[in-house]
């Protein structure tokens, strides 16, 4: 079967920047650096998680929580790992964060808690 333009191989190669090469040329694999942790290895395997291409709109910047915000969020997490709607509204108002940021922080904190308890076994 001919590996002409728009074959799976040709498209894979062209997405790596090798579109100028002939369609029948072998695929080039990028060199990989060994990752230190399973999380880094997993992130390295995900395509499109690197730098933002030129002309693309970057996503939302990472929220940097203050020490006071983290202290209040951790206190609330120690009391209850799953946050209710009322507590979410209260924390959002007190900490000057959106309810979405509070929800996401709790989701991430539960995952961190899960990893910590699994590593302790």
């Amino acid at each position: 079967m001919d590996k002409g333009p728009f074959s799976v191989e040709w498209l894979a190669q062209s997405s790596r920047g090798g579109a100028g090469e002939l369609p029948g040329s072998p695929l080039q694999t990028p060199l990989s650096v060994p990752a230190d942790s399973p999380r880094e290895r997993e992130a390295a395997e995900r395509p499109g998680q690197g730098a933002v291409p030129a002309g693309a709109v970057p996503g939302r910047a990472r929220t940097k929580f203050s020490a006071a915000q983290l202290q209040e969020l951790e206190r609330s997490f120690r009391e209850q790992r799953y946050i209710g709607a009322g507590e979410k509204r209260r924390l959002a108002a007190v900490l000057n964060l959106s309810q979405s940021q509070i929800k996401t922080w709790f989701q991430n904190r539960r995952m961190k808690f899960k990893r910590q308890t699994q590593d302790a076994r």
Side-chain angles (χ1 to χ4, degrees):
M1 182 172 182
D2 187 19
K3 292 180 182 158
F6 308 114
S7 68
V8 173
E9 290 83 4
W10 184 84
L11 288 171
Q13 185 173 351
S14 66
S15 70
R16 289 193 202 116
E21 298 178 18
L22 295 174
S25 64
L27 295 176
Q28 295 180 3
T29 55
L31 296 175
S32 62
V33 178
D36 297 327
S37 72
R39 178 175 290 237
E40 289 174 11
R41 273 182 259 135
E42 187 177 295
E45 291 170 358
R46 272 188 237 125
Q49 297 291 323
V52 177
V57 179
R60 179 177 168 86
R62 180 182 176 124
T63 300
K64 295 181 179 103
F65 296 102
S66 70
Q69 288 171 327
L70 287 172
Q71 184 177 4
E72 181 64 19
L73 287 164
E74 288 288 350
R75 183 199 61 74
S76 183
F77 182 81
R78 280 192 304 272
E79 289 177 10
Q80 193 167 355
R81 282 188 225 144
Y82 288 86
I83 189 165
E87 179 68 1
K88 189 190 320 175
R89 280 192 298 274
R90 186 192 73 78
L91 279 173
V94 169
L95 301 177
N96 197 26
L97 296 168
S98 70
Q99 290 184 40
S100 179
Q101 288 171 309
I102 303 291
K103 175 189 70 99
T104 303
W105 186 89
F106 268 80
Q107 287 175 334
N108 291 338
R109 186 60 182 87
R110 284 192 299 271
M111 287 294 98
K112 180 179 178 180
F113 180 78
K114 182 179 177 182
R115 277 194 315 273
Q116 288 171 336
T117 55
Q118 286 176 346
D119 290 347
R121 291 185 205 181

